[in-house]
Amino acid sequence: QPRVVIIGAGIVGCALADELSARGWTDITVLEQGPLFATGGSSSHAPGLVYQTVGCKTMTQLASYTVEKYTDMTLDGKWCFQQLGGLEIATSRERWDDLHRKQGWATSWGVETSLVGPEECAKLHPLLDPDKVLGGFYNPSDGLAKPLRAAEAQAREAIDRGARFLAHHKVTGIERHAGKVRAVTTDQGEFRADIVVSCVGMWGPRIGAMVDLTIPLVPMAHQYAKTSPLPVLDGVNDELHEMSKPLLRHQDADLYFREHVDRIGIGAYGHRPMPIGVDEILDPDVAPTMPSEMAFTEEDFDQSWEDAVDLLPCLAEAKVEEGINGLFSFTPDGNPLLGEHPDLDGFWVAEAVWITHSAGVAKAMAEWLIEGQPGIDLHNCDLNRFEQVQLSPGYVHQRSCQSFNEVYDVLHPLQPAEKPRPLRTSPFYDRQTELGAYFLEASGWERPHWYETNANLPEIDLIPERNEWASRFWSPIAGAEALVARERVAMFDMTALKRLEVTGPEALNFLQTMTTNQLNRKPGAVVYTLLLGEDGGVRSDLTVARLAEDRFQIGANSNIDLEWLRSHLPPTGTVQVRDITAGTCCIGLWGPRARDLLQPLTKEDFSHKALGFFKAKHAYIGDVPVTAMRLSYVGELGWELYTTADMGLKLWDTLWEAGQRHGVIAAGRSAFNSMRLEKGYRSWGADMTTEHDPFEAGVGFAVRMDKGYFLGRDALEERMETPNTRQLTCLTIADDYQVVMGSEPVYAHGKPVGYVTSAARGYTIGRNIAYAWLPAELAEPGTPVEIEYFGERVAAVVAAEPLFDPDMTRIRS
Ligand code: FAD
């Protein structure tokens, strides 16, 4: 059994000790710098509201497990969770629409909720003024956690199984040896450890610095106040139960409410972001009250108080009696930071976790540590999801402030980062800007979604109008670009996609064991293949080009893939993995006239015979050395043309100039996404994740069971014995106006049966497309279903895929 040291006895550390020990790991020491269990950390202040429903399936799952676990938990006979229900009200049309969308998410993720009118809202929460409310979203299974009780109850379970909790032990250093953690040092001595899990919440960057690990979070103050006693609550609640009405959220004013016996507690996110440096957090022995509690700044609360009185008129008789600016963690994308240090074995992190997700996170972490992988998809929470540029102090600060501002905002799925921008630009950026590119941001990259100079394409008249929501961050120009790419030829900037280089005498063997497809082919072959987890779930999909006997270029999905490969490298040093994204760039040159454009620019033969589908070769395009790969994610004739960053602009200009007589255009991500869905090409992270096996996700063609061992093979063998119960399925929508966005629930025979993964207008096929997970028996083409979109049912039908060019005649031409 490994010796485990958990740093921090907040709710996350306690929950983790419980989950680990429940699975049989009992050599656990929890080191806490403060007293137990009111340690002075964020858990000591949270009023404990647990709302489960968000657009991210993973975060909802983490919250739902927390609810499930805490519901029956008690400490010395006192409750740890009261399932009072959670009500979120709308006072604006936009919010009311958004609550419909939210109810769709709840249905997609299997949480039972309802939308209620103003009178029903007032029945559920009699203190609110129904005249101010358009309606509410009600989740009866939401509720209130008592964080310190839940923390202690879980700690006691762990202690009963052999874990120890040591108060007033401040961790001051981490000992390492040969790339592994060895011990944790504290002001009270050293503790040997095979595994260390840092659960220190907003102190994360301090512990991270001890092991040269950047923890991208910012401690920020959030205002929480309690009123004076209210006559209307006199005698309503008792000291034990504290409250009897549902939790209440008024997101249009960035507010939430709960009762504290005869007072109301009010939380506010409307104030200016109040970040503090991690070194400014006081130590427990120095802090006047508690390190996570700062003095209440009344002036920041004025507007919140006005808005609160407006919604709950009874507050007019009361005043704010006490308040805090309580500190907790914010991250650049609002999600937790979970996972292992990329360069130090045995050092793990579970930080930036809300009370809401605490038990869910602890369970997933325990599974990850013990079984090698969490039971649910955690890629949105993975510590290693950020690119290096996203770890700069400026980036982390600005994006975390944006996360704070957006906590209760109605957020569009394409809503971009505001600052710092532009950050990463491809070598084509100046040309794209000249062409009026509309940029959105991805992993720090500026990516053109369409080009304003294409507004004069006549095809634009063919593009139907769409609903207001789907029109945001969209232009009909994107549709025209897609049509032109199918008729003529277009240049797509593919630079932002992650590129890795794997080299060394053992490179082939390494990649063979890591991925599912047969890579043992001659140099010049390109293969679509999958990374699986031990359980056969799809961790990523890759294109692997063998460029020489011992050199491979990989098109990957994210930094997580890089770390996954790195963490499996043979210790012999015979394989190297390198991220070459930033030093290189790529143009996807696609469309029926792509060859007419390219061939005259090069002495190499680019005919189908000389360079077939899924083949690669080196060539000079004009003066530019490129690696050309005969691939197309949009389903057209053409190549991905890679070159070094210094030659990128030259490549763009060469193609652009030569392309004028062929009617070349630059086309953006929006057209790209539509075209890939017409071809049925999956996008990892949206359409499939670790929760799905290749067969149900429709990528079983990339698995070669007969090639010998690969990671995940044994699990697949087992999975192949049972038929799929679910299937990633292509749907088309008859109504041109209804372009859906993803995560919407799908109904059959009036019952929810699945959810949409990604969706777009199919400009060429003239229909709207949605991919969705459905029960296998419904995956038959022709099956009618309905997609719920902002509360309305949109008719859709299962279609045979791919929708465009199923015989691959265009791509192979
Ligand atoms: P913490 O509770 O901060 O625990 C971390 C522990 O690590 C601390 O005890 C600290 O002393 C210890 N530690 C740090 N450094 C060291 C060291 N060097 N050596 C040893 N120990 C160390 N969340 C919700 O879900 N719902 C809410 O309604 C809600 N409301 C909130 C309201 C306020 C005012 C605040 C402040 C937070 C709120 N939160 C809410 C957020 C929530 O409180 C936190 O996200 C959560 O408590 C974090 O738990 P944790 O265990 O990670 O961190």
Side-chain angles (χ1 to χ4, degrees):
Q1 255 202 21
R3 285 165 297 194
V4 180
V5 169
I6 295 173
I7 313 175
I11 195 156
V12 176
C14 293
L16 180 59
D18 180 32
E19 295 284 338
L20 283 175
S21 60
R23 285 169 177 75
W25 278 16
T26 50
D27 190 346
I28 297 172
T29 305
V30 183
L31 301 172
E32 168 54 50
Q33 65 182 5
L36 294 172
F37 283 90
T39 64
S42 306
S43 307
S44 304
H45 298 296
L49 288 81
V50 176
Y51 280 93
Q52 296 163 78
T53 313
V54 285
C56 172
K57 183 181 176 205
T58 301
M59 295 304 282
T60 305
Q61 285 172 311
L62 294 172
S64 295
Y65 178 74
T66 304
V67 166
E68 191 188 314
K69 182 174 185 189
Y70 293 172
T71 295
D72 295 322
M73 194 181 279
T74 54
L75 183 80
D76 299 330
K78 291 183 181 156
W79 60 274
C80 294
F81 187 82
Q82 284 198 73
Q83 206 154 41
L84 294 159
L87 178 65
E88 308 184 29
I89 52 110
T91 57
S92 67
R93 190 72 234 171
E94 191 187 23
R95 178 71 56 182
W96 187 220
D97 289 344
D98 199 55
L99 292 182
H100 284 77
R101 187 166 72 111
K102 194 167 211 176
Q103 209 229 341
W105 295 334
T107 308
S108 289
W109 317 144
V111 184
E112 269 185 47
T113 60
S114 55
L115 290 167
V116 291
E119 295 309 321
E120 189 67 19
C121 288
K123 239 191 236 161
L124 286 163
H125 202 296
L127 301 186
L128 64 78
D129 177 356
D131 293 341
K132 298 275 161 37
V133 172
L134 294 175
F137 166 68
Y138 179 60
N139 181 352
S141 64
D142 286 341
L144 186 75
K146 208 64 184 161
L148 292 186
R149 262 186 226 156
E152 186 167 354
Q154 292 175 97
R156 284 197 201 167
E157 291 286 336
I159 290 165
D160 284 350
R161 298 186 197 108
R164 56 179 175 162
F165 280 68
L166 303 177
H168 306 294
H169 278 63
K170 181 176 176 175
V171 172
T172 51
I174 311 287
E175 296 285 315
R176 340 170 197 188
H177 181 68
K180 291 196 171 79
V181 290
R182 199 189 65 86
V184 173
T185 45
T186 72
D187 53 1
Q188 312 282 333
E190 188 180 277
F191 294 81
R192 291 296 294 264
D194 305 306
I195 289 176
V196 176
V197 191
S198 179
C199 300
V200 296
M202 65 181 176
W203 283 268
R206 267 199 214 175
I207 301 288
M210 296 175 191
V211 288
D212 305 318
L213 178 67
T214 303
I215 298 290
L217 67 77
V218 178
M220 272 200 234
H222 151 59
Q223 292 202 298
Y224 190 75
K226 284 185 197 166
T227 66
S228 54
L230 287 166
V232 324
L233 289 180
D234 196 19
V236 172
N237 302 313
D238 59 35
E239 287 294 332
L240 177 61
H241 290 99
E242 298 182 23
M243 63 184 284
S244 47
K245 295 174 193 52
L247 319 174
L248 178 63
R249 259 183 184 172
H250 177 16
Q251 284 144 297
D252 286 321
D254 293 305
L255 291 172
Y256 64 85
F257 305 90
R258 57 158 288 194
E259 295 153 89
H260 289 274
V261 191
D262 57 356
R263 298 157 198 263
I264 296 282
I266 307 170
Y269 286 107
H271 52 80
R272 65 195 159 101
M274 296 186 239
I276 69 160
V278 75
D279 292 329
E280 295 169 56
I281 308 171
L282 297 175
D283 277 346
D285 45 350
V286 182
T289 46
M290 284 193 159
S292 58
E293 187 179 316
M294 311 230 303
F296 189 59
T297 49
E298 256 171 78
E299 63 283 9
D300 290 305
F301 199 71
D302 289 347
Q303 182 62 47
S304 298
W305 178 248
E306 226 176 83
D307 293 334
V309 176
D310 202 39
L311 183 71
L312 308 178
C314 61
L315 292 182
E317 301 170 47
K319 60 180 172 51
V320 173
E321 215 167 67
E322 53 185 274
I324 60 166
N325 288 6
L327 291 173
F328 71 109
S329 314
F330 281 80
T331 57
D333 58 9
N335 280 356
L337 305 169
L338 312 177
E340 191 174 15
H341 192 309
D343 298 311
L344 181 60
D345 284 0
F347 186 89
W348 292 72
V349 166
E351 286 159 357
V353 178
W354 286 36
I355 305 297
T356 303
H357 311 108
S358 53
V361 162
K363 174 173 186 270
M365 288 294 296
E367 291 165 347
W368 201 346
L369 283 160
I370 296 174
E371 290 153 32
Q373 131 166 39
I376 59 171
D377 162 44
L378 284 185
H379 82 276
N380 286 322
C381 305
D382 196 306
L383 172 67
N384 296 314
R385 67 188 178 274
F386 299 102
E387 297 282 318
Q388 203 183 342
V389 288
Q390 298 176 291
L391 297 174
S392 77
Y395 185 94
V396 174
H397 179 89
Q398 294 177 67
R399 294 301 310 270
S400 300
C401 286
Q402 186 177 343
S403 297
F404 175 88
N405 283 332
E406 289 175 348
V407 161
Y408 280 173
D409 285 2
V410 173
L411 287 180
H412 191 276
L414 292 173
Q415 186 114 351
E418 290 158 9
K419 287 188 278 191
R421 286 185 65 190
L423 190 60
R424 307 177 88 181
T425 55
S426 80
F428 326 127
Y429 182 70
D430 288 348
R431 295 292 181 267
Q432 293 167 338
T433 308
E434 284 159 25
L435 293 173
Y438 179 85
F439 291 101
L440 294 176
E441 189 252 21
S443 304
W445 287 101
E446 295 296 326
R447 293 209 294 192
H449 274 239
W450 65 86
Y451 295 85
E452 285 297 332
T453 45
N454 288 332
N456 55 13
L457 293 171
E459 285 81 357
I460 208 163
D461 296 335
L462 303 171
I463 308 306
E465 265 185 44
R466 51 171 69 190
N467 61 73
E468 191 277 329
W469 184 250
S471 300
R472 297 190 195 178
F473 308 105
W474 175 82
S475 160
I477 297 171
E481 289 175 1
L483 292 177
V484 171
R486 293 240 187 269
E487 287 160 17
R488 304 201 302 257
V489 57
M491 288 159 58
F492 294 83
D493 180 359
M494 304 295 286
T495 304
L497 298 187
K498 192 87 177 163
R499 280 178 297 289
L500 310 175
E501 185 181 71
V502 179
T503 50
E506 287 297 318
L508 173 66
N509 285 345
F510 170 66
L511 289 172
Q512 284 284 66
T513 60
M514 292 302 293
T515 78
T516 56
N517 211 334
Q518 179 56 267
L519 303 179
N520 191 4
R521 294 168 199 240
K522 290 200 188 104
V526 187
V527 177
Y528 175 79
T529 186
L530 307 170
L531 290 176
L532 303 184
E534 205 64 71
D535 66 348
V538 183
R539 283 194 63 97
S540 189
D541 61 343
L542 312 174
T543 49
V544 178
R546 189 170 195 181
L547 298 180
E549 281 296 322
D550 56 2
R551 187 159 63 88
F552 296 81
Q553 180 174 320
I554 297 184
N557 281 300
S558 78
N559 209 49
I560 301 172
D561 297 342
L562 171 64
E563 294 310 336
W564 177 253
L565 291 175
R566 272 181 9 114
S567 67
H568 287 81
L569 284 176
T572 49
T574 45
V575 185
Q576 290 81 41
V577 180
R578 202 162 66 92
D579 186 342
I580 57 166
T581 316
T584 55
C585 58
C586 178
I587 294 174
L589 182 74
W590 290 312
R593 293 200 206 159
R595 188 175 285 125
D596 300 339
L597 188 163
L598 192 74
Q599 188 61 76
L601 295 173
T602 176
K603 290 203 169 66
E604 291 289 329
D605 185 356
F606 273 76
S607 67
H608 181 61
K609 203 156 159 243
L611 187 65
F613 193 42
F614 271 85
K615 291 282 184 290
K617 74 169 160 194
H618 297 291
Y620 283 93
I621 305 298
D623 297 328
V624 185
V626 301
T627 303
M629 292 188 204
R630 179 86 189 277
L631 304 175
S632 174
Y633 209 49
V634 301
E636 291 296 332
L637 167 68
W639 305 268
E640 292 181 355
L641 301 171
Y642 295 90
T643 190
T644 48
D646 56 333
M647 293 307 291
L649 196 56
K650 188 73 187 166
L651 178 63
W652 180 280
D653 287 345
T654 306
L655 296 173
W656 185 254
E657 209 182 297
Q660 291 312 305
R661 47 192 283 258
H662 303 285
V664 73
I665 59 160
R669 280 307 285 181
S670 195
F672 176 91
N673 198 39
S674 154
M675 294 171 83
R676 73 127 183 128
L677 278 177
E678 287 182 327
K679 277 301 289 173
Y681 293 143
R682 275 63 174 150
S683 171
W684 189 88
D687 299 318
M688 56 186 178
T689 69
T690 52
E691 290 181 13
H692 309 111
D693 74 39
F695 310 113
E696 55 194 11
V699 288
F701 63 86
V703 179
R704 289 281 178 279
M705 294 300 278
D706 57 3
K707 77 162 189 177
Y709 170 82
F710 58 85
L711 188 67
R713 187 182 183 283
D714 294 349
L716 281 196
E717 214 150 48
E718 256 174 59
R719 288 195 190 208
M720 284 170 88
E721 279 164 24
T722 47
N724 292 345
T725 55
R726 58 186 177 180
Q727 190 71 45
L728 183 60
T729 308
C730 178
L731 307 176
T732 57
I733 300 166
D735 186 347
D736 283 346
Y737 191 67
Q738 298 296 10
V739 176
V740 302
M741 305 295 296
S743 302
E744 298 85 1
V746 180
Y747 284 74
H749 310 298
K751 289 206 178 69
V753 289
Y755 61 90
V756 175
T757 57
S758 42
R761 170 75 186 170
Y763 300 106
T764 325
I765 62 152
R767 265 169 300 158
N768 293 335
I769 308 167
Y771 269 77
W773 281 101
L774 291 186
E777 67 273 15
L778 293 175
E780 222 18 68
T783 308
V785 293
E786 289 176 312
I787 300 173
E788 190 186 289
Y789 193 46
F790 287 95
E792 278 178 36
R793 298 286 170 89
V794 176
V797 64
V798 175
E801 59 169 333
L803 296 163
F804 179 74
D805 191 22
D807 300 328
M808 306 282 279
T809 50
R810 299 176 72 100
I811 225 169
R812 292 184 194 275
S813 61

